[in-house]
Structure formats: C-alpha cells, structure tokens
Amino acid sequence: MPQLAIDATCLPQYDKLDRPTRERLREATRKFRELPLDALLAHPDLRIRSLPAGQDPRVRTFRISDSWTGVMLAPESGETFLLVHLLPRDTAEGWAQDHRHDVNGVMGTLERRDAAALEKTVPEEPAPRSGEARGGPFDGVSDGDLERLGVDPEIRRFVRTLSSPAELHAWRPALPQDQFEVLTALAEGHPVRRVQEEVVAPRRPRVGAVSTDDYDAAIRNTRERVIVVGDDQEIEDVLAGEFNAWRVFLHPKQRDLAYRPRFGGPAKVTGGPGTGKTVVALHRVKHLAENLPLDGRILLTSFTNALVESLKGNLALLLDPALLDDVDVLTIDKVALDVVRRTHPDIRLRTDTRGVFAKIARQHGLPYPPDFLYSEYRHVVMAQQITTLEGYLDPDARRGRSTALAADQRRAVWHAISEARALMRTGRALPAEEMHAEAARLLAERPEPPYTSVVVDEAQDLHPMQWRTLRAAAREGPDDLFIAGDNRQRIYDNTVSFKRLGINVVGRSYPLRVNYRTTRQILDWAGGIVGGRTTEELGGSAPEPEGADRCVLSGPPPRLHGAADEPAELDALAEQVRAWLAEGIAPADVCVTARTNRQRDAVAAHLRARSLPAAAFNPREQAVTDAAGSVRVTTMHGAKGLEFRAVAVTGATAASLPFMDHVTPAEQDENQHRADLEAQRSLLYVACTRARERLYVSWHGTPSPFLPG
C-alpha cells in the first residue's frame, strides 16, 4: 500500500487554506494511505497528473479544490508519496516544472532546487581552480573538498560565480537545502573538517550505502524536513502550523541528542540563542517518558513561571495525555517548596531577602554598602554550603572575592549573617537559597528520590543551592540529569561548578551550532553586545569550546532609533509596532521589552493610548498565553527564554544599561563589580535575541555603552 510523507514546505501554505479546503486536503491524504497504487493513480477526484515530457518524471500534481493544487513526489522506487507543496492552481504546474528533486550522493537526503533559475546562472564551463585569485567566498575550498561535503557539480560551478556570503544567502530558496547549509558554514569561515563533522556526518544514513536512485530511502532519511505519517491525527499534528514545526522536524544533531537510547550519566547540551536547546530538552522528555520504568517519574524544570508554562504547553503538543501524567513541569523553586512543605507545611518562600540583610547590616554597624552582606551570604556562604564560623574563616572560603576581610571582620560578618538567617527561620519565611538547602537535606534522607530523570532548561541562571536540590532529586546513574543552557545568556551572577556539585558531564557535553530561529543579521548585530569576551563553559571554569553559531535564516538588519527624550522615543515605538501589525504580524507575535517594571507599565500605557493592543506581562505570575490578542510588554528579564517574530527593546540608555543600582561598587568588590556588569550586558543580549525576524532597539538621550558601535 502507498504511504504518505509531508515536507515542511507545506506548513506555511497550509495556514492559508480555509476550513473546507483543509478538509478536502485531509480527504485526499486519506486516499493516498488507503487505496492501492493503481486505484490511486486513476482516482477521478484526485486528477493526478504527470508533468509535460522532459520534466521531472517523479513529480505529479493532484487536485485539492477548484483553487488549490498539491505537488507531490512519486518516486519510481518504493510507494512513498511525498507531499512537497500546496499552491494556487494557476501557479502549481509552473512551480513543479521549475523545481527538481535529487538524492544527495554523500548525505543520502532528498533535496530540492530551483532548476530553472540555476540553469540561467550556472556556467557550462568549470570556474577557475580554487588557487586562482577571484575574491569569492569559496576560493579557499577545493572542488575535491566540496565534492566530499556533498556539493554536486552543478552547485560547485554555481558557487564559483558568487562574490560574497550575502549573495549566497540571496540564492537560498533556489539551492538544495543540505548543500546550502554546507556552503553557509564554509562561507562563514568554518573549516572543512568541522563542516564534515557537524553538518554532513549527522545526516548520513546510519547503515547502508547511499544510492542516488533510491528516493524512497532518501525520503525516510530526510527527517529534518520530511515525516512519514500514518493516520489522520498525525497529519493534523504535522500540518498544525509553521511555528510548531519543531514538534516533528528536528535537525539531525538535535534528533541524535533527544532520542539517544541512553546517556551513561548527566548530559549537557549548550548553544547560542535559537539553536534548539529547549526543543531538544522537550523531545528528550518525550523519549524518557516513552521508555520510563514502572513507577518512574520525570521532572522538567526551568527558572520562571512563564518559562514553565511555556514548557507545559509545548509538552502537551508533543506527548500523549497518558505520558504527560508521568511528568512534573515545575519551577525549581516550586520543587524545593513542595519538598519542604511535606515536613514543614507552614513554610513559605521569602521575596524580600535583600532588605533583611540590609537591615541587619545597619543594626550591626557594619562598614559596608547595604548589599555587601547579602552578596556574601549568597555567593560565599550558601554557594559553598558553609555551616560554621570555622568554615567561613578558612582561607579558601572567599576565593574570588576581591574585598579582603581580616579574621575579626569575618567573625562580625558571620554573626550578622547568622542573625539574619535565624530571623528568617523564626518567621517561617525562607529565601530560595535556604529553601533549597532544606530541600536537598530532606531529599538525601529519603530512601528513594522522587524522580527517575530530571531535565533542566535555561540552566545557566541556577544558583548552586538549586543545583543541589536537582542533584538530590534523582538517583545518580544513566539518564539522571539532562541539562540545557547557554552561559552567554546568564543574566544572574550564579557561578556554578558541576564538579563540586557531584554532576559529572565529562564526555557527555554537546554543543549545538546551527541557529534555526533568528536571522543572521539580528544574531550578528547582537553578538556585538557580548563580542570579544571570554565565556566560561556552563558548569565549569574553562573557556567555552571554540566554534561560532551558523544561521540559516536571513532578513532585514536591526533598526536602531535614538530620540531626544522619552516621550519622543515612545511615539516612535508606537509607530514601529503599528507598522509591524500592518505587515500582518499578529499582536501576540510582537514583544516590547523595557528595563524596569515602571518603564514596562509606562510603555504599555503609551501603546494603549495610541489605540494599539498592549498588555503588561509578568513572567512570575502569567503564562505566555495570557493576553494572546495583545502586544506583550515586559521587562528584559521577563523576555528570558521566550521568542517572538518581532521584538522592540526600549530604553537602551546609558542610565539603564548598566543600571548602577544593581552593580556592586568596584571599591567594594572588583570581581563582583565586573560580574554584575557582564550580567547586565548579557541581559541586553538576551532581550535582543528573543527576536526571530524583526528587531528594533531605541533609546533617548545617551545610548547604552553596551550597544555595538
């Protein structure tokens, strides 16, 4: 019996179909799965047609409705029909005639090219050899290397005509997809060996040789863009919308990590914005849930309520309800609170910890700024689990702190910290650090930990005490911890050593390099915010491994706007938001970020006053689905972990970034001063990289020194 596969190209077109046309498409796909091949080809409603003589004999068209036509690949080998495009009837045959499908002889994947466009451009004679001076982006790459990387003769001749990487990106729609990614990586300066390892090798079939005639095998091997469907519900799921394509179309490296049968212990996945860390984490939960032992349970956790609600919604799209029952999706602080409340039901989470320490510091007459005591408590005492005065007096206890304290000064600081902690315990309101210390202790006393596996998203901002809770929540062993994060996006100064915490990821650390979400123009510009600075590896002290992210998307450059004053800046912002909505971008796909809660509320009020749908968004209280019909206005912290088609970053002024009220004075602690500045620099980077297609950055007066020059 024939089988049906669907190409990701169909997703944006499916969104354009009205309800009756979608129903007719579902009925047509049902016939492809249920009828014998001869009956299918002769069916009068489908009107399956081959292209004129001389065109690709494997491509056929079929009728969906009076207005819409489907284009499919009907390979001579096998019986798998591939739905490659949905088009208006008057353009479908022309599109089908212009495009050709081939099996990549190195990667074994199915690729499509605009043969008509390339035929007009590709020279008949070979281009000059790579050693001859031409100034093109591939002059340093030999034809032999290109061939070994899966670039076929036609495309090799074509790329020798290009003069810049920008010209290559302009040709993206016409080029074979996998070859385009190979060429993009080379044009961005990645060495041939790395392109072989990171682009080509993950796509090759695990077993068997590649045959350029076996289209059926190629369809099944192209899992990044193609999925074979088995029933009506699966077709509905695949065609649910372009934005949800992550549910079924995974990059080969993402799929390998998400569905690897077993990791021997904690595993870590890192990568820049848009490389798919969260996608991999969600699919890893799916794999773990499908292979969960009896009485097993999974924890999926992140930092804020907004992130957790987003994870919940996406996981519900990915997992069957029966599997969802085996997964807890909670913030890490809620995990600790639930553990502690089983023993101490009257305990609550404190939110004013900083103020408590400032008050105690004044009462003790300590000669330090208000935040010094809180910083010492958080980054020294709790981070290292120091429980005695002797431990605090140890010469190594304050390593990394640049403000020296003599022994009598340490005693005074220790007694003040101890008094503050006692005061909070007496009031039964514990800060997060204390809650996690107690949770880790209680979990260690249990005969069995509550979870079989723990999956952590946005891991870079967790405090060492939060990691101790997670370490205690699952028994050490295979598939115990799966960690996804990026230290370049760390917006809280939490320095963590996995080794000290008993989390061994040696040999199980995997970088993701390909950005599928954000355009190259946005990522390149935003990279200038944090560029030139050494980033430590997540969970370690060594520099992050070398290797830049690659972008497969291209779009307009970020728009920058400076205004004389705040009212003028907000007026310009309103016009930009109005222009985005006029382009057809839905309000829920637009986010505006501000530095503080006050600025957030002012921006939201200003947009509403200009008759624009806008709502303030608090990630600790609201889910990302709230106010779905409105432009979401939030703080830069509130945008963490989320993504939108269009993002406006407002108030990027020298007075707000850096916001010196939240920066430790250099005279108090030089190292902490630098760390605080870097955290705020990362905050601006995170806000800008929430954008997928459009980025607008504005300020009034003097711009932030963090903005690229």
Side-chain angles (χ1 to χ4, degrees), residues 388-467:
T388 64
L389 173 60
E390 289 71 23
Y392 188 59
L393 290 173
D394 186 287
D396 289 333
R398 300 185 70 254
R399 179 173 294 178
R401 308 290 285 178
S402 60
T403 300
L405 294 179
D408 58 339
Q409 292 174 311
R410 289 201 195 193
R411 288 190 180 91
V413 169
W414 176 260
H415 290 312
I417 289 175
S418 298
E419 182 176 329
R421 297 178 72 181
L423 177 66
M424 292 185 291
R425 284 196 299 273
T426 302
R428 314 299 283 176
L430 299 183
E433 294 83 2
E434 300 283 352
M435 193 74 72
H436 283 279
E438 182 66 7
R441 184 186 70 79
L442 293 171
L443 287 170
E445 293 176 353
R446 290 191 187 182
E448 287 291 332
Y451 296 106
T452 309
S453 299
V454 173
V455 178
V456 187
D457 189 36
E458 296 290 336
Q460 69 274 0
D461 280 314
L462 298 187
H463 186 273
M465 284 312 310
Q466 293 172 313
W467 281 111

Side-chain angles (χ1 to χ4, degrees), residues 383-646:
Q384 299 186 53
Q385 265 191 313
I386 297 174
T387 57
T388 64
L389 173 60
E390 289 71 23
Y392 188 59
L393 290 173
D394 186 287
D396 289 333
R398 300 185 70 254
R399 179 173 294 178
R401 308 290 285 178
S402 60
T403 300
L405 294 179
D408 58 339
Q409 292 174 311
R410 289 201 195 193
R411 288 190 180 91
V413 169
W414 176 260
H415 290 312
I417 289 175
S418 298
E419 182 176 329
R421 297 178 72 181
L423 177 66
M424 292 185 291
R425 284 196 299 273
T426 302
R428 314 299 283 176
L430 299 183
E433 294 83 2
E434 300 283 352
M435 193 74 72
H436 283 279
E438 182 66 7
R441 184 186 70 79
L442 293 171
L443 287 170
E445 293 176 353
R446 290 191 187 182
E448 287 291 332
Y451 296 106
T452 309
S453 299
V454 173
V455 178
V456 187
D457 189 36
E458 296 290 336
Q460 69 274 0
D461 280 314
L462 298 187
H463 186 273
M465 284 312 310
Q466 293 172 313
W467 281 111
R468 292 188 175 100
T469 297
L470 294 176
R471 176 62 283 177
R475 184 180 299 281
E476 293 187 38
D479 291 327
D480 52 352
L481 292 173
F482 189 85
I483 301 163
D486 175 22
N487 261 2
R488 285 168 289 182
Q489 299 183 65
R490 188 172 68 189
I491 61 177
Y492 298 99
D493 181 37
N494 293 322
T495 302
V496 171
S497 168
F498 283 165
K499 183 178 180 180
R500 289 185 181 180
L501 294 166
I503 300 172
N504 180 17
V505 295
V506 175
R508 293 183 295 273
S509 296
Y510 309 94
L512 295 174
R513 302 289 193 198
V514 185
N515 186 307
Y516 290 94
R517 182 193 73 195
T518 305
T519 66
R520 175 174 50 86
Q521 288 80 1
I522 291 175
L523 199 67
D524 285 351
W525 183 86
I529 298 172
V530 295
R533 288 164 176 80
T534 300
T535 302
E536 291 183 350
E537 191 173 5
L538 179 65
S541 56
E544 204 172 50
E546 292 184 4
D549 292 347
R550 303 190 306 276
C551 291
V552 299
L553 300 178
S554 186
R559 185 180 171 209
L560 311 179
H561 180 78
D565 52 33
E566 187 173 28
E569 181 187 0
L570 294 180
D571 284 342
L573 168 68
E575 292 310 307
Q576 177 61 76
V577 171
R578 195 181 308 279
W580 282 336
L581 299 182
E583 288 179 31
I585 300 177
D589 283 335
V590 176
C591 179
V592 179
T593 71
R595 181 66 183 86
T596 66
N597 289 333
R598 182 198 67 78
Q599 291 168 337
R600 174 201 64 194
D601 295 341
V603 169
H606 189 90
L607 293 179
R608 289 194 297 269
R610 298 300 185 275
S611 301
L612 291 165
F617 172 67
N618 185 336
R620 293 191 175 276
E621 299 173 0
Q622 297 170 271
V624 292
T625 54
D626 290 348
S630 299
V631 171
R632 195 168 286 112
V633 185
T634 188
T635 62
M636 293 181 181
H637 286 87
K640 174 183 168 65
L642 306 178
E643 62 179 76
F644 305 88
R645 287 185 63 189

